[in-house]
Structures are given as C-alpha cells and as structure tokens.
Amino acid sequence: MPKIAFIEHDNTEHTVNALAGQSLMQAAIDNSVPRILADCGGYCNCATCHCYVDDRWAASIPPAKHPELDMLSGAIDANGNSRLGCQILLTNELEGLVVRLPVSQI
Ligand code: FES
C-alpha cells in the first residue's frame, strides 16, 4: 500500500494510501485528489491526468511510450517530467512517490 504525495501548484499536498496494481490516476480519483480529472477513464485519450513526476522518482518509473507520448505532446504546460497518471502502474516500490500537478489543470 504505497503512500503517494500529490502536490498542487500552490504546494497544497494530498498524501494518499494507494494500492499496488492500480494506476496513479485511479489512486488520485479514489482519494478525491483535485486537478486529476481523468475524463477518458484511463484510456490515454484526454491528458486530464497530467502530472509531473518528482526528479527523485523519474528513474523508478518505466518511461512513457506511444500513445502516452503523443498525448503529452499536446498537453498544456508539459515538460520533461510530464506523465499521464493513468499510464503509471503503482507498485510497493513506489512508496513515497511525489508527483506535482499542473496549474493549467483545473
Ligand atoms: S485519464 Fe485520460 S489520459 Fe489519463
């Protein structure tokens, strides 16, 4: 049951107990984390689960592939740490993962 910290652009932090095997997006939705909208339900088709993986964790998560990369190329305020939460599968090894949420996602 990894603990995940979602940090909004104004530094408001939401730490949740996630489940190994669920997506980062689902952990946010299940815990009512704001700014993760997941309009497409996790089908990598909306980018409303856009988040920034903290530098310390970037190497611990498999890199983005197609079609996630295609969606991120059109996401507002995307940067090198951008990921789609629905494409990140949580594991117990991600205990303490920190992700930040874009200001543009309201
Ligand atoms: S929930 Fe739509 S792209 Fe992730």
Coordinates of all heavy atoms in Angstrom, one line a residue:
M1 N 0.9 -1.2 0.0 CA 0.0 0.0 0.0 C 0.9 1.2 0.0 O 1.1 1.8 1.0 CB -0.9 0.0 1.2 CG -1.9 1.1 1.2 SD -3.1 0.9 2.6 CE -4.4 -0.1 1.8
P2 N 1.4 1.6 -1.2 CA 2.3 2.8 -1.2 C 1.6 4.1 -0.9 O 0.5 4.3 -1.3 CB 2.9 2.7 -2.6 CG 1.8 2.0 -3.4 CD 1.2 1.0 -2.5
K3 N 2.3 4.9 -0.1 CA 1.8 6.3 0.1 C 2.3 7.1 -1.1 O 3.5 7.1 -1.4 CB 2.4 6.8 1.4 CG 1.6 6.6 2.6 CD 2.1 7.5 3.8 CE 1.2 7.4 5.0 NZ 1.0 6.1 5.5
I4 N 1.4 7.9 -1.6 CA 1.8 8.8 -2.7 C 1.4 10.2 -2.4 O 0.3 10.5 -1.8 CB 0.9 8.4 -4.0 CG1 1.0 6.9 -4.3 CG2 1.4 9.2 -5.2 CD1 2.3 6.4 -4.7
A5 N 2.3 11.2 -2.6 CA 2.0 12.6 -2.4 C 1.8 13.3 -3.7 O 2.6 13.3 -4.6 CB 3.2 13.2 -1.7
F6 N 0.6 13.9 -3.8 CA 0.2 14.7 -4.9 C 0.3 16.2 -4.4 O -0.3 16.5 -3.4 CB -1.2 14.5 -5.3 CG -1.5 13.1 -5.9 CD1 -1.8 12.0 -5.1 CD2 -1.4 12.9 -7.3 CE1 -2.1 10.8 -5.6 CE2 -1.7 11.6 -7.8 CZ -2.0 10.5 -6.9
I7 N 1.0 17.0 -5.1 CA 1.3 18.4 -4.7 C 0.7 19.3 -5.7 O 1.2 19.3 -6.9 CB 2.8 18.6 -4.4 CG1 3.3 17.7 -3.4 CG2 3.0 20.1 -4.0 CD1 4.8 17.8 -3.1
E8 N -0.2 20.1 -5.3 CA -0.8 21.1 -6.3 C 0.2 22.2 -6.5 O 1.2 22.4 -5.8 CB -2.1 21.7 -5.7 CG -3.2 20.6 -5.5 CD -4.5 21.3 -5.1 OE1 -5.1 22.1 -5.9 OE2 -5.0 21.0 -4.0
H9 N -0.1 23.1 -7.5 CA 0.8 24.1 -7.9 C 1.0 25.1 -6.8 O 2.0 25.8 -6.8 CB 0.3 24.9 -9.2 CG -1.0 25.6 -8.9 ND1 -1.0 26.9 -8.6 CD2 -2.3 25.2 -9.0 CE1 -2.3 27.3 -8.4 NE2 -3.0 26.3 -8.6
D10 N 0.1 25.2 -5.9 CA 0.2 26.2 -4.7 C 0.8 25.5 -3.5 O 0.8 26.0 -2.4 CB -1.1 26.8 -4.4 CG -2.1 25.8 -3.9 OD1 -1.8 24.5 -3.8 OD2 -3.3 26.2 -3.5
N11 N 1.4 24.3 -3.7 CA 2.1 23.5 -2.7 C 1.1 22.8 -1.7 O 1.6 22.2 -0.7 CB 3.1 24.3 -2.0 CG 4.3 24.5 -2.8 OD1 4.7 23.7 -3.6 ND2 4.9 25.7 -2.7
T12 N -0.2 22.8 -2.0 CA -1.1 22.0 -1.2 C -0.8 20.6 -1.4 O -0.8 20.1 -2.6 CB -2.6 22.4 -1.5 OG1 -2.8 23.7 -1.3 CG2 -3.5 21.5 -0.7
E13 N -0.6 19.8 -0.4 CA -0.2 18.4 -0.5 C -1.3 17.5 -0.1 O -2.0 17.7 0.9 CB 1.0 18.1 0.3 CG 1.5 16.7 0.1 CD 2.9 16.5 0.8 OE1 3.7 17.4 0.9 OE2 3.1 15.3 1.3
H14 N -1.5 16.5 -0.9 CA -2.5 15.4 -0.6 C -1.8 14.1 -0.6 O -1.3 13.6 -1.7 CB -3.6 15.4 -1.7 CG -4.2 16.7 -2.0 ND1 -5.4 17.1 -1.3 CD2 -3.9 17.7 -2.8 CE1 -5.7 18.3 -1.7 NE2 -4.8 18.7 -2.7
T15 N -1.6 13.5 0.5 CA -0.9 12.2 0.6 C -2.0 11.1 0.8 O -2.9 11.2 1.6 CB 0.0 12.2 1.8 OG1 1.0 13.2 1.6 CG2 0.7 10.9 2.0
V16 N -1.9 10.2 -0.1 CA -2.9 9.1 -0.1 C -2.3 7.7 0.0 O -1.1 7.5 -0.3 CB -3.8 9.2 -1.4 CG1 -4.3 10.6 -1.6 CG2 -3.0 8.7 -2.6
N17 N -3.1 6.8 0.5 CA -2.7 5.4 0.6 C -3.2 4.8 -0.7 O -4.4 4.6 -0.9 CB -3.2 4.7 1.8 CG -2.5 5.2 3.1 OD1 -1.3 5.2 3.1 ND2 -3.3 5.5 4.1
A18 N -2.3 4.4 -1.6 CA -2.7 3.8 -2.9 C -2.6 2.3 -2.8 O -2.2 1.7 -1.8 CB -1.8 4.3 -4.0
L19 N -3.1 1.6 -3.8 CA -3.0 0.2 -3.9 C -2.0 -0.2 -5.0 O -2.0 0.3 -6.1 CB -4.3 -0.4 -4.2 CG -5.5 -0.2 -3.2 CD1 -6.8 -0.7 -3.8 CD2 -5.1 -0.8 -1.9
A20 N -1.1 -1.1 -4.6 CA -0.2 -1.6 -5.7 C -1.1 -2.3 -6.7 O -2.1 -3.0 -6.4 CB 0.7 -2.7 -5.0
G21 N -0.8 -2.0 -8.0 CA -1.5 -2.6 -9.1 C -2.5 -1.6 -9.7 O -3.0 -1.8 -10.8
Q22 N -2.8 -0.5 -9.0 CA -3.7 0.4 -9.6 C -2.9 1.5 -10.2 O -1.7 1.7 -10.0 CB -4.7 1.0 -8.5 CG -4.1 1.9 -7.5 CD -5.2 2.5 -6.5 OE1 -4.8 3.0 -5.5 NE2 -6.4 2.4 -6.8
S23 N -3.5 2.3 -11.0 CA -2.8 3.4 -11.7 C -2.7 4.6 -10.7 O -3.5 4.8 -9.8 CB -3.5 3.8 -13.0 OG -4.7 4.5 -12.7
L24 N -1.7 5.4 -11.0 CA -1.6 6.7 -10.3 C -2.9 7.5 -10.4 O -3.3 8.1 -9.4 CB -0.4 7.5 -10.8 CG -0.1 8.8 -10.1 CD1 0.4 8.6 -8.7 CD2 1.0 9.5 -10.9
M25 N -3.4 7.6 -11.5 CA -4.7 8.3 -11.7 C -5.8 7.7 -10.9 O -6.5 8.5 -10.2 CB -5.1 8.3 -13.2 CG -6.4 8.8 -13.5 SD -7.8 7.7 -13.2 CE -7.8 6.6 -14.7
Q26 N -5.9 6.4 -10.8 CA -7.0 5.8 -10.0 C -6.8 6.1 -8.6 O -7.8 6.3 -7.8 CB -7.1 4.3 -10.3 CG -8.4 3.7 -9.8 CD -9.6 4.3 -10.5 OE1 -9.7 4.3 -11.8 NE2 -10.5 4.9 -9.8
A27 N -5.6 6.1 -8.1 CA -5.3 6.4 -6.7 C -5.8 7.9 -6.4 O -6.3 8.1 -5.3 CB -3.8 6.3 -6.4
A28 N -5.5 8.8 -7.3 CA -6.0 10.1 -7.1 C -7.5 10.2 -7.1 O -8.1 10.9 -6.3 CB -5.4 11.0 -8.3
I29 N -8.1 9.6 -8.1 CA -9.6 9.6 -8.1 C -10.2 9.0 -6.9 O -11.2 9.6 -6.3 CB -10.1 8.9 -9.4 CG1 -9.6 9.6 -10.7 CG2 -11.6 8.7 -9.4 CD1 -10.2 11.0 -10.9
D30 N -9.7 7.9 -6.5 CA -10.3 7.2 -5.3 C -10.2 8.0 -4.0 O -10.9 7.8 -3.1 CB -9.6 5.8 -5.1 CG -10.0 4.8 -6.2 OD1 -10.9 5.1 -7.0 OD2 -9.3 3.7 -6.2
N31 N -9.2 8.9 -4.0 CA -9.0 9.7 -2.8 C -9.3 11.2 -3.0 O -8.9 12.1 -2.3 CB -7.5 9.6 -2.4 CG -7.2 8.2 -1.9 OD1 -7.5 7.9 -0.7 ND2 -6.6 7.3 -2.7
S32 N -10.1 11.5 -4.1 CA -10.6 12.8 -4.3 C -9.5 13.9 -4.4 O -9.7 15.0 -3.9 CB -11.7 13.2 -3.3 OG -12.7 12.3 -3.2
V33 N -8.4 13.5 -5.0 CA -7.3 14.5 -5.2 C -7.8 15.5 -6.3 O -8.2 15.0 -7.4 CB -6.0 13.8 -5.6 CG1 -5.0 14.8 -6.0 CG2 -5.5 12.9 -4.5
P34 N -7.8 16.8 -6.0 CA -8.2 17.7 -7.1 C -7.2 17.8 -8.2 O -6.0 17.4 -8.1 CB -8.3 19.0 -6.3 CG -7.4 18.9 -5.1 CD -7.4 17.4 -4.8
R35 N -7.7 18.3 -9.4 CA -6.9 18.5 -10.5 C -6.4 17.3 -11.3 O -5.7 17.3 -12.3 CB -5.6 19.4 -10.2 CG -6.0 20.7 -9.6 CD -4.8 21.6 -9.3 NE -5.2 22.8 -8.7 CZ -5.6 23.9 -9.3 NH1 -5.7 23.9 -10.6 NH2 -6.0 24.9 -8.7
I36 N -6.9 16.1 -10.9 CA -6.8 14.9 -11.7 C -8.2 14.6 -12.1 O -9.0 14.1 -11.3 CB -6.2 13.7 -10.9 CG1 -4.7 14.1 -10.5 CG2 -6.2 12.5 -11.7 CD1 -3.7 14.0 -11.6
L37 N -8.5 14.9 -13.4 CA -9.9 14.8 -13.8 C -10.2 13.4 -14.4 O -11.3 12.9 -14.3 CB -10.2 15.9 -14.8 CG -9.9 17.3 -14.3 CD1 -10.1 18.4 -15.3 CD2 -10.6 17.6 -13.0
A38 N -9.3 12.9 -15.2 CA -9.4 11.6 -15.8 C -10.7 11.5 -16.7 O -11.5 10.5 -16.6 CB -9.4 10.5 -14.7
D39 N -10.9 12.4 -17.5 CA -12.1 12.5 -18.3 C -12.3 11.2 -19.2 O -13.5 10.9 -19.5 CB -12.1 13.7 -19.3 CG -12.3 15.0 -18.5 OD1 -12.8 15.0 -17.3 OD2 -12.0 16.1 -19.0
C40 N -11.3 10.6 -19.6 CA -11.4 9.4 -20.5 C -11.5 8.1 -19.8 O -11.6 7.1 -20.4 CB -10.3 9.4 -21.6 SG -8.7 8.8 -21.0
G41 N -11.3 8.2 -18.5 CA -11.4 7.0 -17.7 C -10.2 6.1 -17.7 O -10.2 5.0 -17.3
G42 N -9.1 6.7 -18.1 CA -7.8 6.0 -18.1 C -7.4 5.3 -19.4 O -6.6 4.5 -19.4
Y43 N -8.0 5.8 -20.5 CA -7.7 5.2 -21.8 C -6.7 6.0 -22.6 O -6.6 5.8 -23.8 CB -9.0 5.0 -22.6 CG -9.9 3.9 -22.1 CD1 -10.9 4.2 -21.2 CD2 -9.6 2.6 -22.4 CE1 -11.7 3.1 -20.7 CE2 -10.4 1.5 -21.9 CZ -11.4 1.8 -21.1 OH -12.2 0.8 -20.5
C44 N -5.9 6.8 -21.9 CA -4.9 7.5 -22.5 C -5.4 8.4 -23.7 O -4.8 8.4 -24.8 CB -3.8 6.6 -23.0 SG -2.2 7.4 -23.3
N45 N -6.5 9.1 -23.4 CA -7.1 9.8 -24.5 C -7.6 11.2 -24.2 O -8.3 11.8 -24.9 CB -8.3 9.0 -25.0 CG -8.7 9.3 -26.4 OD1 -8.0 9.7 -27.2 ND2 -10.0 9.1 -26.7
C46 N -7.1 11.7 -23.0 CA -7.6 13.1 -22.7 C -6.5 14.0 -22.1 O -6.6 15.2 -22.1 CB -8.7 12.9 -21.7 SG -8.3 12.4 -20.0
A47 N -5.5 13.4 -21.4 CA -4.4 14.1 -20.8 C -4.9 14.9 -19.6 O -4.2 15.8 -19.1 CB -3.6 15.0 -21.7
T48 N -6.1 14.7 -19.0 CA -6.5 15.4 -17.8 C -6.0 14.7 -16.6 O -6.5 15.0 -15.5 CB -8.0 15.5 -17.8 OG1 -8.7 14.3 -17.8 CG2 -8.5 16.4 -19.0
C49 N -5.1 13.8 -16.7 CA -4.5 13.2 -15.6 C -3.0 13.5 -15.6 O -2.1 12.8 -15.0 CB -4.6 11.6 -15.6 SG -3.9 10.9 -17.0
H50 N -2.7 14.6 -16.3 CA -1.3 15.1 -16.5 C -0.7 15.4 -15.1 O -1.3 16.1 -14.3 CB -1.3 16.3 -17.4 CG 0.0 16.9 -17.6 ND1 0.1 18.2 -18.0 CD2 1.3 16.5 -17.5 CE1 1.4 18.5 -18.2 NE2 2.1 17.5 -17.9
C51 N 0.5 15.0 -14.9 CA 1.2 15.3 -13.6 C 2.7 15.3 -13.9 O 3.2 14.9 -15.0 CB 0.9 14.3 -12.5 SG 1.3 12.6 -12.9
Y52 N 3.5 15.9 -13.0 CA 4.9 15.9 -13.1 C 5.5 15.0 -12.0 O 5.3 15.2 -10.8 CB 5.5 17.3 -12.9 CG 4.8 18.4 -13.7 CD1 4.0 19.4 -13.1 CD2 4.9 18.4 -15.1 CE1 3.4 20.3 -13.9 CE2 4.3 19.4 -15.9 CZ 3.5 20.4 -15.2 OH 2.9 21.3 -16.0
V53 N 6.3 14.0 -12.5 CA 6.9 13.1 -11.5 C 8.1 13.8 -11.0 O 9.0 14.3 -11.7 CB 7.3 11.8 -12.2 CG1 8.1 10.9 -11.3 CG2 6.1 11.0 -12.7
D54 N 8.3 13.8 -9.7 CA 9.4 14.4 -9.0 C 10.7 13.8 -9.5 O 10.8 12.6 -9.8 CB 9.3 14.2 -7.5 CG 10.3 15.0 -6.7 OD1 10.0 16.1 -6.3 OD2 11.4 14.4 -6.5
D55 N 11.7 14.7 -9.7 CA 13.0 14.2 -10.2 C 13.5 13.0 -9.5 O 14.1 12.1 -10.2 CB 14.0 15.4 -10.0 CG 13.9 16.4 -11.1 OD1 13.3 16.1 -12.2 OD2 14.3 17.6 -10.8
R56 N 13.4 12.9 -8.2 CA 13.9 11.8 -7.4 C 13.3 10.5 -7.8 O 13.9 9.4 -7.5 CB 13.7 12.0 -5.9 CG 14.5 13.2 -5.4 CD 14.1 13.5 -4.0 NE 12.7 14.0 -4.0 CZ 11.9 14.2 -2.9 NH1 12.3 13.8 -1.8 NH2 10.7 14.7 -3.1
W57 N 12.2 10.5 -8.5 CA 11.4 9.3 -8.8 C 11.4 8.9 -10.3 O 10.9 7.9 -10.6 CB 10.0 9.4 -8.3 CG 9.9 9.4 -6.8 CD1 9.9 10.4 -5.9 CD2 9.9 8.2 -6.0 NE1 9.9 10.0 -4.6 CE2 9.9 8.6 -4.6 CE3 10.0 6.8 -6.3 CZ2 9.9 7.7 -3.6 CZ3 10.0 5.9 -5.2 CH2 10.0 6.4 -3.9
A58 N 11.9 9.9 -11.1 CA 11.7 9.7 -12.5 C 12.3 8.3 -13.0 O 11.8 7.7 -13.8 CB 12.4 10.8 -13.2
A59 N 13.5 8.0 -12.4 CA 14.1 6.8 -12.9 C 13.5 5.5 -12.4 O 13.8 4.4 -12.8 CB 15.6 6.8 -12.5
S60 N 12.6 5.6 -11.4 CA 11.9 4.5 -10.8 C 10.7 4.0 -11.6 O 10.1 3.0 -11.2 CB 11.5 4.8 -9.4 OG 12.7 5.2 -8.6
I61 N 10.3 4.8 -12.6 CA 9.1 4.5 -13.3 C 9.4 4.3 -14.8 O 10.2 5.0 -15.3 CB 8.1 5.7 -13.2 CG1 7.7 5.9 -11.7 CG2 6.9 5.6 -14.0 CD1 7.0 7.2 -11.4
P62 N 8.9 3.2 -15.3 CA 9.2 2.9 -16.8 C 8.8 4.2 -17.6 O 7.8 4.8 -17.4 CB 8.3 1.8 -17.1 CG 8.0 1.1 -15.8 CD 8.0 2.2 -14.7
P63 N 9.7 4.4 -18.6 CA 9.4 5.7 -19.4 C 8.2 5.6 -20.2 O 7.6 4.5 -20.5 CB 10.7 5.7 -20.3 CG 11.2 4.3 -20.3 CD 10.9 3.7 -19.0
A64 N 7.7 6.8 -20.6 CA 6.5 6.9 -21.4 C 6.7 6.3 -22.8 O 7.8 6.4 -23.3 CB 6.0 8.3 -21.5
K65 N 5.7 5.7 -23.3 CA 5.8 5.2 -24.7 C 4.5 5.7 -25.5 O 3.7 6.3 -24.9 CB 5.7 3.6 -24.7 CG 6.9 3.0 -23.9 CD 6.7 1.5 -23.9 CE 7.8 0.8 -23.1 NZ 7.6 -0.6 -22.8
H66 N 4.5 5.4 -26.7 CA 3.3 5.6 -27.5 C 2.1 4.8 -26.9 O 2.4 3.7 -26.6 CB 3.5 5.2 -29.0 CG 2.3 5.3 -29.8 ND1 1.9 6.5 -30.4 CD2 1.4 4.4 -30.2 CE1 0.8 6.3 -31.0 NE2 0.5 5.0 -31.0
P67 N 0.9 5.3 -26.8 CA 0.4 6.6 -27.2 C 0.5 7.7 -26.1 O 0.1 8.8 -26.4 CB -1.1 6.3 -27.5 CG -1.4 5.3 -26.4 CD -0.2 4.4 -26.3
E68 N 1.1 7.4 -25.0 CA 1.2 8.4 -23.9 C 2.1 9.6 -24.4 O 1.7 10.7 -24.2 CB 1.9 7.8 -22.6 CG 2.0 8.8 -21.5 CD 2.7 8.3 -20.3 OE1 3.1 7.1 -20.3 OE2 2.8 9.0 -19.3
L69 N 3.1 9.3 -25.1 CA 4.0 10.4 -25.6 C 3.2 11.3 -26.6 O 3.4 12.5 -26.6 CB 5.2 9.8 -26.3 CG 6.3 9.2 -25.4 CD1 7.3 8.5 -26.2 CD2 6.9 10.2 -24.4
D70 N 2.3 10.7 -27.4 CA 1.6 11.5 -28.3 C 0.6 12.4 -27.5 O 0.5 13.6 -27.9 CB 0.7 10.6 -29.2 CG 1.6 9.8 -30.2 OD1 2.7 10.2 -30.4 OD2 1.1 8.8 -30.7
M71 N 0.0 11.9 -26.5 CA -0.9 12.7 -25.7 C -0.2 13.8 -25.0 O -0.6 15.0 -24.9 CB -1.7 11.9 -24.7 CG -2.7 11.0 -25.3 SD -4.0 11.8 -26.3 CE -4.7 12.9 -25.1
L72 N 1.0 13.5 -24.5 CA 1.8 14.5 -23.7 C 2.2 15.6 -24.7 O 2.4 16.8 -24.3 CB 2.9 13.9 -23.0 CG 2.6 13.1 -21.8 CD1 3.8 12.3 -21.3 CD2 2.0 14.0 -20.7
S73 N 2.5 15.3 -25.9 CA 3.0 16.3 -26.9 C 1.9 17.4 -27.0 O 2.3 18.5 -27.4 CB 3.3 15.7 -28.2 OG 2.2 15.3 -28.9
G74 N 0.7 17.1 -26.8 CA -0.4 18.2 -26.9 C -0.9 18.7 -25.6 O -1.8 19.5 -25.5
A75 N -0.3 18.2 -24.5 CA -0.7 18.6 -23.1 C -0.2 20.0 -22.8 O 0.9 20.4 -23.2 CB -0.2 17.7 -22.1
I76 N -1.0 20.8 -22.2 CA -0.7 22.2 -21.8 C 0.4 22.1 -20.7 O 0.3 21.3 -19.7 CB -1.9 22.9 -21.3 CG1 -2.9 23.1 -22.4 CG2 -1.5 24.3 -20.8 CD1 -4.3 23.6 -22.0
D77 N 1.4 22.9 -20.8 CA 2.5 23.0 -19.7 C 3.2 21.7 -19.5 O 3.8 21.5 -18.5 CB 1.9 23.5 -18.4 CG 1.3 24.9 -18.4 OD1 1.7 25.7 -19.2 OD2 0.3 25.1 -17.6
A78 N 3.3 20.9 -20.6 CA 4.1 19.7 -20.5 C 5.6 20.0 -20.4 O 6.1 21.0 -21.0 CB 3.9 18.8 -21.7
N79 N 6.3 19.2 -19.6 CA 7.8 19.4 -19.6 C 8.4 18.0 -19.5 O 7.7 17.0 -19.6 CB 8.2 20.3 -18.4 CG 7.9 19.7 -17.0 OD1 7.9 18.5 -16.8 ND2 7.7 20.5 -16.1
G80 N 9.7 17.9 -19.2 CA 10.4 16.6 -19.3 C 10.0 15.7 -18.2 O 10.3 14.5 -18.2
N81 N 9.3 16.2 -17.2 CA 8.8 15.3 -16.1 C 7.4 14.9 -16.2 O 6.8 14.3 -15.4 CB 9.0 16.0 -14.7 CG 10.5 16.1 -14.3 OD1 11.4 16.1 -15.1 ND2 10.7 16.2 -13.0
S82 N 6.8 15.3 -17.3 CA 5.3 15.1 -17.5 C 5.0 13.6 -17.7 O 5.8 12.9 -18.5 CB 4.8 15.9 -18.7 OG 4.8 17.3 -18.5
R83 N 4.0 13.2 -17.1 CA 3.5 11.9 -17.4 C 1.9 11.9 -17.3 O 1.4 12.9 -16.7 CB 4.0 10.9 -16.3 CG 5.5 10.6 -16.4 CD 5.9 10.0 -17.7 NE 5.2 8.7 -17.9 CZ 5.7 7.5 -17.7 NH1 6.9 7.4 -17.0 NH2 5.0 6.4 -18.0
L84 N 1.3 10.9 -17.8 CA -0.1 10.7 -17.6 C -0.3 9.7 -16.5 O 0.2 8.6 -16.6 CB -0.8 10.2 -18.9 CG -0.7 11.2 -20.1 CD1 -1.4 10.6 -21.3 CD2 -1.3 12.5 -19.7
G85 N -1.1 10.1 -15.5 CA -1.2 9.3 -14.3 C -1.9 8.0 -14.6 O -1.6 7.0 -13.9
C86 N -2.7 7.9 -15.6 CA -3.3 6.6 -16.0 C -2.4 5.6 -16.5 O -2.7 4.4 -16.6 CB -4.5 6.9 -16.9 SG -4.1 7.4 -18.5
Q87 N -1.2 6.1 -16.9 CA -0.2 5.2 -17.5 C 0.9 4.7 -16.6 O 1.8 4.1 -17.0 CB 0.4 5.8 -18.8 CG -0.7 6.2 -19.8 CD -1.5 5.0 -20.3 OE1 -0.9 4.0 -20.8 NE2 -2.8 5.0 -20.1
I88 N 0.8 5.2 -15.3 CA 1.8 4.8 -14.3 C 1.1 3.7 -13.4 O 0.2 4.0 -12.7 CB 2.2 6.0 -13.5 CG1 3.0 7.0 -14.4 CG2 3.1 5.6 -12.3 CD1 3.4 8.3 -13.8
L89 N 1.7 2.6 -13.4 CA 1.2 1.5 -12.6 C 1.9 1.5 -11.2 O 3.2 1.5 -11.2 CB 1.4 0.1 -13.3 CG 0.7 -1.1 -12.7 CD1 -0.8 -0.9 -12.7 CD2 1.1 -2.3 -13.4
L90 N 1.2 1.6 -10.2 CA 1.8 1.7 -8.9 C 2.3 0.3 -8.3 O 1.6 -0.7 -8.5 CB 0.8 2.3 -7.9 CG 0.4 3.7 -8.2 CD1 -0.6 4.2 -7.2 CD2 1.6 4.7 -8.2
T91 N 3.4 0.4 -7.7 CA 4.0 -0.8 -7.0 C 4.4 -0.5 -5.6 O 4.5 0.7 -5.3 CB 5.2 -1.3 -7.8 OG1 6.2 -0.3 -7.7 CG2 4.9 -1.6 -9.3
N92 N 4.6 -1.4 -4.8 CA 5.0 -1.1 -3.4 C 6.4 -0.4 -3.4 O 6.7 0.3 -2.5 CB 5.1 -2.4 -2.6 CG 3.7 -2.9 -2.3 OD1 2.8 -2.1 -2.1 ND2 3.5 -4.2 -2.3
E93 N 7.2 -0.6 -4.5 CA 8.5 0.0 -4.5 C 8.3 1.5 -4.7 O 9.3 2.3 -4.6 CB 9.3 -0.6 -5.7 CG 9.8 -2.0 -5.4 CD 8.7 -3.0 -5.4 OE1 7.7 -2.9 -6.2 OE2 8.8 -4.0 -4.6
L94 N 7.2 2.0 -5.1 CA 6.9 3.4 -5.3 C 6.5 4.1 -4.0 O 6.0 5.3 -4.0 CB 6.0 3.7 -6.4 CG 6.5 3.3 -7.8 CD1 5.5 3.5 -8.9 CD2 7.8 4.1 -8.1
E95 N 6.6 3.5 -2.9 CA 6.3 4.1 -1.6 C 7.0 5.4 -1.4 O 8.2 5.5 -1.6 CB 6.8 3.1 -0.4 CG 6.8 3.8 0.9 CD 5.4 4.0 1.5 OE1 4.5 3.3 1.2 OE2 5.3 5.0 2.3
G96 N 6.2 6.5 -1.2 CA 6.8 7.8 -1.0 C 6.8 8.6 -2.3 O 7.4 9.7 -2.3
L97 N 6.3 8.1 -3.4 CA 6.3 8.8 -4.7 C 5.7 10.2 -4.5 O 4.7 10.3 -3.9 CB 5.5 8.0 -5.7 CG 5.3 8.6 -7.1 CD1 6.6 8.8 -7.9 CD2 4.4 7.8 -7.9
V98 N 6.4 11.1 -5.2 CA 5.9 12.5 -5.2 C 5.6 12.9 -6.6 O 6.5 12.8 -7.5 CB 6.9 13.5 -4.6 CG1 6.5 14.9 -4.6 CG2 7.2 13.0 -3.1
V99 N 4.4 13.4 -6.8 CA 4.0 14.0 -8.1 C 3.4 15.4 -7.9 O 2.8 15.6 -6.9 CB 3.1 13.1 -8.9 CG1 3.7 11.8 -9.3 CG2 1.8 12.9 -8.2
R100 N 3.7 16.2 -8.9 CA 3.1 17.6 -8.8 C 2.1 17.7 -9.9 O 2.1 17.0 -10.9 CB 4.2 18.6 -9.0 CG 5.2 18.5 -7.8 CD 6.4 19.5 -7.9 NE 7.3 19.2 -6.9 CZ 7.2 19.6 -5.6 NH1 6.2 20.4 -5.3 NH2 8.1 19.3 -4.7
L101 N 1.1 18.6 -9.7 CA 0.0 18.8 -10.6 C 0.1 20.2 -11.3 O 0.4 21.2 -10.6 CB -1.3 18.7 -9.8 CG -1.4 17.4 -9.0 CD1 -2.7 17.4 -8.2 CD2 -1.3 16.2 -9.9
P102 N -0.2 20.2 -12.6 CA 0.0 21.4 -13.3 C -1.1 22.5 -13.0 O -2.2 22.2 -12.6 CB -0.2 21.0 -14.8 CG -0.9 19.7 -14.7 CD -0.6 19.1 -13.4
V103 N -0.7 23.7 -13.0 CA -1.6 24.8 -12.7 C -2.7 24.9 -13.7 O -3.8 25.3 -13.4 CB -0.8 26.2 -12.6 CG1 -0.2 26.5 -14.0 CG2 -1.7 27.3 -12.1
S104 N -2.4 24.4 -14.9 CA -3.4 24.5 -16.0 C -4.6 23.6 -15.9 O -5.6 23.7 -16.6 CB -2.7 24.3 -17.4 OG -2.0 23.1 -17.3
Q105 N -4.4 22.6 -15.0 CA -5.4 21.5 -14.9 C -6.4 21.8 -13.8 O -6.1 21.5 -12.6 CB -4.7 20.2 -14.6 CG -5.5 19.0 -15.1 CD -4.5 17.9 -15.3 OE1 -4.0 17.7 -16.4 NE2 -4.2 17.1 -14.3
I106 N -7.5 22.5 -14.1 CA -8.5 22.8 -13.0 C -9.8 22.2 -13.3 O -10.1 21.7 -14.4 CB -8.6 24.4 -12.9 CG1 -9.0 25.0 -14.2 CG2 -7.3 24.9 -12.3 CD1 -9.2 26.5 -14.1
Ligands
FES1 S1 -7.3 9.6 -17.8 FE1 -7.4 10.3 -19.8 S2 -5.3 10.3 -20.5 FE2 -5.2 9.6 -18.4

